[in-house]
Amino acid sequence: MIEVVSAERCIGCDKCVLACPTDVFDRGTDGVPVIARQDDCQTCFMCEAYCPVDALFVAPETRPLPDGSALRDEARLTDAGLLGSYRAGIGWGRGRTPGARLAVGPDLPRATPAPPPVKPSTT
Amino acid sequence: MSSPSLPEETTVLTEELTADVLVVGGGPAATWAAVKAAESGASVVLADKGWCGSSGATAAAGTGVWYVPPHPEAREAAMASREGLGGHLADRRWMARVLDQTWENMHEVASVSRYPFPVDERGEQLRRGLQGPEYMRRMRVRVQRAGVRILDHSPVLELLLDAHGAVAGAAGHRRQADRPFRVRAGAVVLATGGCAFLSRALGCDVNTGDGYLMAAEAGAAMSGMEFSNAYAIAPEFTSVTKTAYYSFATFHHADGSVVEGAGSTRGRSVIARTLLAEGRVLARLDRADEAQRRAMRLGQANFFLPFDRLGIDPFTDLFPVTLLAEGTVRGTGGVRITGDDCATDVPGLYAAGDAATRELICGGFTGGGSHNAAWAMSSGTWAGRGAAAFARALGEGAHRRRLTPAGGVGLRPTGTPGAADGHREVTEAVRREVLPYDKNLLRDGAVLGPALERLHDVWAVARAGLRGHGKDAMRARRAAAMTATARWMYTAALAREETRGMHKRLDRPHQDDPGSRHRLVTGGLDTTWSVPETGAALPVGATAAVAAGVAR
Ligand SMILES: Cc1cc2nc3c(=O)[nH]c(=O)nc-3n(C[C@H](O)[C@H](O)[C@H](O)COP(=O)(O)OP(=O)(O)OC[C@H]3O[C@@H](n4cnc5c(N)ncnc54)[C@H](O)[C@@H]3O)c2cc1C
Ligand code: SF4
Ligand code: SF4
């Protein structure tokens, strides 16, 4: 779930307010968006992708983290290089190669499921 | 009876819009529909519950695409590959159409949207996959360039009908402006995605079956609703249901011993059984070599989000996994299609993407992995053009029609309205019946029957008292839509007294051929029904189906 909006980094562009598919944010009076409906967060990471200054952090857990969790601590997230890591991963942002250009995964070992046994109907 | 005015019209003025075609949704199916309707000369409004470009399963997840070069042998192999798995309910003619259309559309993704496909060593573009955020942000731009008016954060709540029962628009609520809106349209395309019951599967919480309910209220039927029990693997307590790379995984009990027979494609039910019995299954992607590991990071960046953030090395550490319901998103059920233009049983109403049945190309086997993405862009294209043609044929009179709202449950209670947050109780009651593996994944008639009875009770209570105003109307309607979807799922699952495709009945483990080799058409509101699809005209009213003895 969305856990961090960095007031220090945020430039108040409202992109996350718009791009969040489940309308989690409200515009804050100081321009910094407020996490108004965390319960509705679907942990899709889209807000992070759209934030131009890497001010948001979405923890991978689909339930809110308790106070004191490392993944709610902006300083620790910054140190760990996690702020903005999704945007970097998909290659969004000036000077980056779009991740789509490089997106060639491995061939998958294919184990096709077996169809169910057939019993001819008697009717 | 329902009055022709909108529910709870208060002091806030309704925003009134007019268009030849209204597209409901904002994912791939909706955006292709909007673009193609506009290219056909129609004026188009697109209304999305979320934000067109980031909303829906594709935007968050990304998709492999059923993209097969037009060489006869390659096409033949592609069509044959899943026919048996789908229980022979797919249709070769539709498969061929989708392969042709997808080939064309992927070319447009490259040439018009300038999507940065990877290139191979000969400089050829590799077009077998689409990264979600990139694809959908480019589709949004294309929609805008086509002159389509986009309404973001504008969930559609109900359809509007003309005096003859044709769909002539829709009404909803602009949630960030907190204002109702209404669009008069010559025709409507429903591209609202599938239904994953707010399971938190990646990008799927916007997909709550809204389109199925709206279509049914207008008189449309569903098809393939028994194939609605897709479950996807995710690291425990996370949303990332990207399953492809689990084909490199081994699965383990809590004590580290291997779970025999567990797997991502084959043996997902073994994982479910172990989770039910032991509460825990661990995984490790230890079957991937160094080169494969590196390729995975490039292939699907979002797959690694939970691992990197939780400090897990998925290649060397054992980590707990869960199965999240994806319902009809990676299942194949949806609104029944009655024509090549993706028309439905109701004039003026078209369906595309996961809102529509994907049985035509998947049968009863999951459309995830490639088919659904191809279907979304192909059916979107056809529905957009079909709706534009329908609107054109109506001519000038289209916008002078008298409109009646079709919405019932959640908007216009038949009894005393209940509490404002009544949607919570309804939602939880439905989730209790459809999320557990021992009800929906490992199916048994003796379990499904009572579950369906309880769902009927939930519906009765909701029909009588569920109501949401303003911003909450969306929550009430999605709770209602999930209830309806769940009832159609289990009505169809009980009617299909065999195992076929993803519908696996423990009490009926065999595929009954040829006796049950037919699609099931399902529908009804206060009473649900499911009947074999025949060439004959469909009993759209519940009464006909009751007569056939299959209701409830
Ligand atoms: C994790 C994951 C991985 C997948 N991988 C693949 C794959 O590799 N290959 C493949 O083919 N398929 C895959 N799928 C399936 C594929 O993503 C879907 O089939 C596809 O997104 C369907 O497109 P759509 O436009 O119909 O629906 P979606 O993309 O889900 O979009 C639905 C849209 O409808 C809007 N909406 C919903 N209700 C309303 C309403 N009431 N009013 C207005 N708008 C509304 C939503 O906001 C959203 O914009 C995957 C799915 C998931 C979840
Ligand atoms: S993770 Fe998704 S749902 Fe959650 S706040 Fe960000 S955009 Fe919204
Ligand atoms: S997208 Fe980023 S910079 Fe813009 S308002 Fe949101 S947090 Fe602030």
Side-chain angles (χ1 to χ4, degrees):
Chain A
M1 282 185 158
I2 179 77
E3 290 289 355
V4 173
V5 181
S6 165
E8 205 176 308
R9 294 184 178 210
C10 176
I11 54 167
C13 71
D14 281 351
K15 284 212 168 85
C16 57
V17 179
L18 290 173
C20 171
T22 56
D23 195 29
V24 163
F25 303 100
D26 277 343
R27 291 184 175 85
T29 44
D30 57 353
V32 179
V34 178
I35 302 172
R37 289 164 294 275
Q38 193 189 25
D39 266 7
D40 287 335
C41 174
Q42 60 170 352
T43 319
C44 66
F45 307 94
M46 294 305 301
C47 51
E48 268 194 40
Y50 274 89
C51 177
V53 293
D54 300 332
L56 299 169
F57 183 75
V58 178
E61 288 91 340
T62 51
R63 48 191 190 189
L65 295 177
D67 286 340
S69 299
L71 293 185
R72 298 188 62 183
D73 183 336
E74 188 180 334
R76 285 159 81 177
L77 292 170
T78 310
D79 287 347
L82 287 176
L83 281 188
S85 55
Y86 184 41
R87 204 162 68 97
I90 59 172
W92 280 15
R94 202 175 290 279
R96 287 178 173 152
T97 304
R101 175 84 69 206
L102 309 172
V104 186
D107 289 333
L108 302 179
R110 281 264 174 236
T112 4
V118 174
K119 188 157 86 189
S121 43
T122 41
T123 45
Chain B
M1 279 308 291
S2 55
S3 77
S5 71
L6 284 161
E8 293 311 317
E9 243 173 310
T10 47
T11 46
V12 192
L13 219 59
T14 300
E15 185 172 342
E16 299 276 359
L17 298 159
T18 301
D20 295 328
V21 172
L22 167 66
V23 177
V24 186
T31 48
W32 280 104
V35 165
K36 293 302 168 185
E39 285 178 359
S40 311
S43 63
V44 183
V45 169
L46 177 150
D48 188 7
K49 186 195 245 178
W51 192 74
C52 172
S54 63
S55 197
T58 291
T63 51
V65 182
W66 205 32
Y67 179 79
V68 183
H71 309 140
E73 316 82 72
R75 288 280 169 97
E76 170 61 31
M79 293 196 283
S81 72
R82 290 199 193 179
E83 248 171 356
L85 291 169
H88 302 279
L89 297 182
D91 179 326
R92 283 259 170 151
R93 192 178 68 84
W94 277 88
M95 289 191 219
R97 292 184 76 208
V98 166
L99 286 169
D100 285 343
Q101 190 65 54
T102 301
W103 183 257
E104 228 174 84
N105 288 26
M106 289 295 275
H107 178 72
E108 290 185 23
V109 171
S111 61
V112 181
S113 293
R114 304 177 56 81
Y115 179 94
F117 284 106
V119 284
D120 66 13
E121 48 303 332
R122 289 168 306 159
E124 295 279 335
Q125 288 192 344
L126 301 169
R127 296 182 183 165
R128 286 191 310 267
L130 290 162
Q131 187 228 64
E134 191 71 58
Y135 171 39
M136 289 314 300
R137 107 168 145 173
R138 285 167 195 267
M139 285 309 295
R140 181 183 175 96
V141 170
R142 192 160 172 203
V143 167
Q144 285 170 321
R145 284 192 183 156
V148 173
R149 168 101 193 259
I150 298 178
L151 308 180
D152 294 305
H153 292 289
S154 302
V156 168
L157 299 170
E158 61 177 331
L159 295 173
L160 305 171
L161 306 180
D162 75 5
H164 307 286
V167 171
H173 194 81
R174 307 206 62 181
R175 63 182 173 192
Q176 293 194 334
D178 199 6
R179 185 180 181 195
F181 73 98
R182 199 162 88 133
V183 185
R184 290 179 163 271
V188 174
V189 177
L190 284 176
T192 45
C195 182
F197 300 100
L198 299 174
S199 71
R200 295 269 139 99
L202 195 57
C204 289
D205 275 10
V206 290
N207 299 329
T208 48
D210 305 7
Y212 304 153
L213 175 61
M214 291 192 275
E217 286 172 337
M222 311 294 131
S223 185
M225 289 309 287
E226 65 277 34
F227 308 120
S228 47
N229 53 343
Y231 282 78
I233 305 172
E236 197 179 19
F237 305 125
T238 80
S239 61
V240 181
T241 46
K242 301 279 294 184
T243 46
Y245 293 164
Y246 287 96
S247 45
F248 291 102
T250 54
F251 295 91
H252 304 257
H253 297 280
D255 66 5
S257 62
V258 170
V259 179
E260 293 302 336
S264 84
T265 39
R266 198 197 281 256
R268 217 167 277 188
S269 50
V270 177
I271 299 175
R273 279 202 188 85
T274 313
L275 282 169
L276 284 169
E278 303 169 18
R280 204 139 229 240
V281 170
L282 306 172
R284 182 167 54 206
L285 307 182
D286 43 19
R287 295 170 57 215
D289 63 26
E290 256 323 304
Q292 288 166 326
R293 292 173 191 195
R294 273 195 308 276
M296 281 187 217
R297 278 211 175 260
L298 295 175
Q300 299 183 6
N302 54 2
F303 177 79
F304 290 91
L305 288 169
F307 303 120
D308 292 348
R309 289 168 190 218
L310 296 171
I312 294 168
D313 180 341
F315 303 115
T316 56
D317 300 340
L318 284 172
F319 57 92
V321 292
T322 188
L323 294 173
L324 293 182
E326 289 184 341
T328 62
V329 173
R330 279 199 265 200
T332 65
V335 176
R336 187 172 101 105
I337 295 299
T338 58
D340 281 4
D341 54 359
C342 291
T344 67
D345 289 295
V346 187
L349 186 66
Y350 296 77
D354 291 356
T357 182
R358 280 134 289 149
E359 266 178 318
L360 295 165
I361 62 163
C362 302
F365 187 66
T366 177
S370 61
H371 288 53
N372 271 359
W375 172 256
M377 63 177 77
S378 301
S379 61
T381 298
W382 300 325
R385 287 181 186 146
F390 187 92
R392 202 179 314 121
L394 286 177
E396 281 304 301
H399 302 313
R400 289 194 296 271
R401 294 180 288 176
R402 208 184 126 86
L403 305 184
T404 311
V409 58
L411 288 174
R412 298 179 183 83
T414 51
T416 319
D421 66 348
H423 58 86
R424 281 182 212 282
E425 231 175 280
V426 172
T427 299
E428 282 321 307
V430 171
R431 283 160 48 91
R432 272 198 298 277
E433 303 304 334
V434 295
L435 298 185
Y437 315 139
D438 46 0
K439 290 185 182 173
N440 196 6
L441 178 57
L442 312 167
R443 289 175 166 180
D444 191 312
V447 176
L448 291 174
L452 179 58
E453 286 307 318
R454 287 189 292 274
L455 287 166
H456 286 322
D457 294 342
V458 174
W459 173 269
V461 171
R463 187 67 194 91
L466 181 65
R467 182 172 62 171
H469 299 217
K471 286 184 169 190
D472 274 342
M474 181 275 275
R475 295 177 194 272
R477 282 293 271 177
R478 83 177 174 196
M482 288 188 285
T483 314
T485 304
R487 290 163 71 233
W488 293 321
M489 275 163 50
Y490 284 180
T491 301
L494 282 162
R496 186 171 288 290
E497 297 195 68
E498 58 156 356
T499 285
R500 189 179 297 266
M502 68 169 63
H503 165 74
K504 299 201 172 79
R505 287 262 305 251
L506 300 175
D507 56 337
R508 298 272 193 283
H510 292 91
Q511 181 165 305
D512 168 34
D513 271 323
S516 303
R517 190 184 279 195
H518 46 64
R519 301 191 193 114
L520 289 177
V521 182
T522 304
L525 292 166
D526 291 333
T527 310
T528 62
W529 47 266
S530 185
V531 295
E533 181 175 55
T534 58
L538 189 73
V540 174
T543 26
V546 175
V550 287
R552 282 198 85 151

